[in-house]
Amino acid sequence: MLVIAITSCNAVKRVGEDELLLTKNFIYADSVKVTNEDIHSLIFQKPNSTLLGYPLRLNLYNLAKKNPDSSFQAWLHKKEKREKRLTSILSKKQVDRLGESFLVKGASVWLKNIGEAPTIVDTTKARRSLQRLNAYYKSKGYFNNSTTYELDSSARSKRAIMNYRLDLGKPYLIDSISTQIASPALDSIQKKNNDNTFIKPGQRIDLENFNSERERLTNLFRNNGIHNFQESSISYDLIGDTTKIGNNQKLDILLNIENLKKRTDNNLTTSEYKVHTFKKINIYTNYLFNNGQDSLKKVDYKDYTIYYHRKLRFKPKTLTDAVFLSKDSIYREIDRIRTYRQITNLNTFKYPNIEFVEDSTQSELTTNIYLSPKPRYSLGTDFDVTHSNIQFLGLAFSPSLQARNLFKGAENLSISGRINLGASKDPDIVDNRFFNLLEFGGDINLNLPRLWFPFVNTSRIIPNYMLPKTNISIGTSFQQNIGLDKQTFNTVLGYNWSPTDFKKLTAELINVQFVRNVNPDRFFSVYENTFENLDEIADNYETEASLADYYETTSDETDPTLIIPEGTTGFINAILNEEVSASEDDYDDISSIEERRKRLTENNLIFASNFTFNKNNKQGITDNSFYKFRWKLESAGNLLSGISSFIPFNKNEDDKLLVFNVPFSQYVKTEFDFIKHWSFSGTNVLAFRSFFGIAVPYGNSDNIPFVRSYFAGGSNDNRAWLPYSLGPGKTEDVNDFNEANLKLAFNLEYRFPIVGDIKGALFADAGNIWNVLDNVKDENATFDSLADLGDIALGTGFGLRYDFTYFVFRLDMGFKTYNPAEESSKRWFRDYNLSNGVFNIGINYPF
């Protein structure tokens, strides 16, 4: 705070005697303060940027030496023999380099580059700002507005505030609207579709409405047969006296639409716009060979002519289904756009080129669609070096092969493999080789540019312009010396399509995942927290003679510990079978540990279907004010449960139905995810996220598989807790991987620029996980009533981000602001200090 106070006093260090530092701009329209950021952007001269109200970049600039070369020379010659002495020690060349060094000159240059020169009040720029403001309000119908500015300054502090004041007067309104349209075709289309006009009598004149109407008419004409319509043909005349002041400030509007203008050589010709229909549609599948059209072969399919070189590699129907232009129909711009998108969606051609050629009557079009195929086969490979809490060194190799247009219907097959060799120092791993961890697997993906469903014509339900895709995938992976050495198999039959640019739907008809734990006896070696809890309970029973064989004492330990796995299994069985008398609390704790062990070590078979709806209104990568909404519904086990009613399945000792000797999971799961961004001045953004998810087991399950459960904490969740360390409920880090089947999460983050590509953020993360409607009985971990919302944890903190353009590197530090696992009197700000801060590293923004 002292440094900030000192440097803030230095903000006017580079402000001259007769100069003033601009600190703020205010705009008043009819004495009302204007806060609209778009209007403030019209002002030429902006105050220096601030970081949370502090002019950081200005003070960095002021820290730089004004003339580092002169300062160095003055220091060098301050003492008579200093230059000679330095030259004798370093040489003349090295002394010159000293003057160019970072400490002497480079630091000042760097500070000036990342800093910001003081904004000195410039009245010339203020007058230019008034001209802009005057023009802006004239575009809003205030033709008689007057503008001026006032300077609120203090010569003593060398600071000034600029006040821009506008007297708007009354706006002009639209009295009547008439048209003057040269082409009869345009006149007919305009009159039939005038209900949605943006310009209506009685409205205040607003240039924005005129621009919107110009865009509407352009889209209207181009989607009603006028393929060559030019937006520049539209103009408006305002008829009336714009200097009139009074109650009758109204103007008549004349809409002018001129004929088509064409420039040939040095002549400018005009002609009427006409409705165009398609006379012929040609598809060239080999654009590179188009120059020699006589050597191309052709085939007529429906109303299309397909040209190809040597051999036609595509089914004609695949090509024509991607084209939404049809013979004898009128031209529609939307059909042209959809054709581009669907051909690109095939992922078989490079970006297509569509050409429209008018005939002599200028009313019929010949369409030429030029396609350039991508290579039939392509190879790829990835090589990664990794580090994690599991392995101090990992080498990953991932080769892939992609085959396009596999069955001549633009089907794309992708085959990929992966192998990861890791080195771990885990003492529980008996493998003494340097690379003692192994994980390998592979995936096969087949993508179809349509919705494939046997015996159903899906194009009638979901048209091709919605960019439908079918994804069929099969994958497997194997682990060695990693956790319980899981072996997984998964297969998916899924569909996705986009009804609009802002909506995307995904349906996975079949999503099967089989997980086999090869070494379940390693459970207590992998889940060390769970073992420590069990071993702590076992300390109370180490004097029992019947349990003596379950303990061991190592050379560096004074207390005996349970042997894994013989001792842990024997001790648990002895307590649960009541072979040894235990307290009620110990019995319940051991029972809970055993239930968790069974759940995490049993093999899983998940046979699910799901549906996901996504919507967002983001207009582009520069749009910082938008929202996203996602809803997902998943159901598992219902098909197998239905089959079991007429095909008898085997059962285990818990009366669970078995498929391939594995109890299948049965549950219903739903999720809601909403994200909203608000853009403020500059690149300042306020981002909000809310999430709700719940998975309810029933039928053949009394819990949710680990891979389908929820966890809290981590770089994209509550950043004051490490992943899996928050919850459930009031519990705190009871297990190594804490998870549950109900989750609430809320995130709020304020993002702002600091210097150049370095950004900052302040955030607050709230949420938790709970068990609900499953087999967990711990009251501290379950959600029983609305009172349990008091278990929502709150983490706050700050972050730094560096924008590499293609991605953002993120470092966040979170603090436990409200920790529900603590006693009621110690929950707030108990660990709110640097030593207990949690660092999270991430790529791109968390939401």
Side-chain angles (χ1 to χ4, degrees), residues 383-396 420-425 434-437:
F383 181 78
D384 299 311
V385 178
T386 60
H387 172 79
S388 69
N389 59 338
I390 297 175
Q391 57 189 13
F392 66 86
L393 177 63
L395 302 178
N420 181 79
L421 297 174
S424 174
K425 295 181 179 179
F434 180 79
F435 287 108
N436 51 5
L437 305 181

Side-chain angles (χ1 to χ4, degrees), residues 23 47-57 116 684 752-754:
T23 57
N48 289 100
S49 61
T50 60
L51 175 62
L52 302 178
Y54 174 68
L56 174 64
R57 296 187 65 189
E116 193 175 65
N684 293 10
F752 50 87
I754 297 179

Side-chain angles (χ1 to χ4, degrees), residues 221-222 225-229 274 276 331 333 356 358 365:
F221 296 144
R222 290 180 180 173
I226 317 299
H227 106 276
N228 55 352
F229 182 77
K274 294 183 178 181
H276 296 91
Y331 173 88
E333 181 75 5
F356 300 101
E358 297 179 4
L365 297 174

